[in-house]
Amino acid sequence: MAKLSYSEQALADLERLTDFLIEIDASAAAETVELIEEAVNLLIRHPLVGRPVEHELRELVISRGRSGYLALYSLEEDQDAVLILAIRHQREAGYWGQGEE
């Protein structure tokens, strides 16, 4: 089993997404965080489940209703570890507030 950890950016992303949802529906915010955590925990046993993207990174698609979320992560095979780098809503353009290039 791989070790799972979150970068500071990924934790900030979770907080940002939660803050946004709390203003709309507090119960939806809690459910969404649970959904994201449950999906990301799948990477402990199945780290290759995410689709490959640029720079040897992978992206996990997390469905929620008609859209969902994306978790960008790196797989450190030599350390048997998964590092969650960023999390965003599927309708957001790019990670870290940048547009897709």
Side-chain angles (χ1 to χ4, degrees):
M1 281 197 299
K3 178 183 161 196
L4 178 68
S5 59
Y6 290 79
S7 70
E8 288 184 31
Q9 178 62 51
L11 293 173
D13 289 341
L14 274 175
E15 185 175 339
R16 176 181 53 82
L17 293 168
T18 303
D19 288 347
F20 174 79
L21 288 172
I22 283 175
E23 292 181 22
I24 299 167
D25 183 350
S27 64
E31 290 170 9
T32 298
V33 169
E34 286 178 25
L35 173 75
I36 291 170
E37 288 178 346
E38 183 178 309
V40 165
N41 282 332
L42 175 68
L43 297 173
I44 294 170
R45 291 193 181 268
H46 305 286
L48 296 175
V49 73
R51 62 187 178 197
V53 293
E54 297 178 353
H55 310 294
E56 299 182 27
L57 299 176
R58 301 185 79 82
E59 190 173 61
L60 180 65
V61 177
I62 305 165
S63 297
R64 174 125 171 103
R66 293 183 293 183
S67 62
Y69 298 86
L70 300 169
L72 183 70
Y73 68 97
S74 66
L75 173 57
E76 308 300 326
E77 292 185 67
D78 59 327
Q79 299 173 16
D80 196 24
V82 173
L83 174 61
I84 306 301
L85 300 169
I87 301 170
R88 69 175 174 92
H89 191 276
Q90 286 179 340
R91 293 183 181 161
E92 289 181 89
Y95 294 97
W96 304 292
Q98 301 169 351
E100 303 262 350
E101 295 180 19

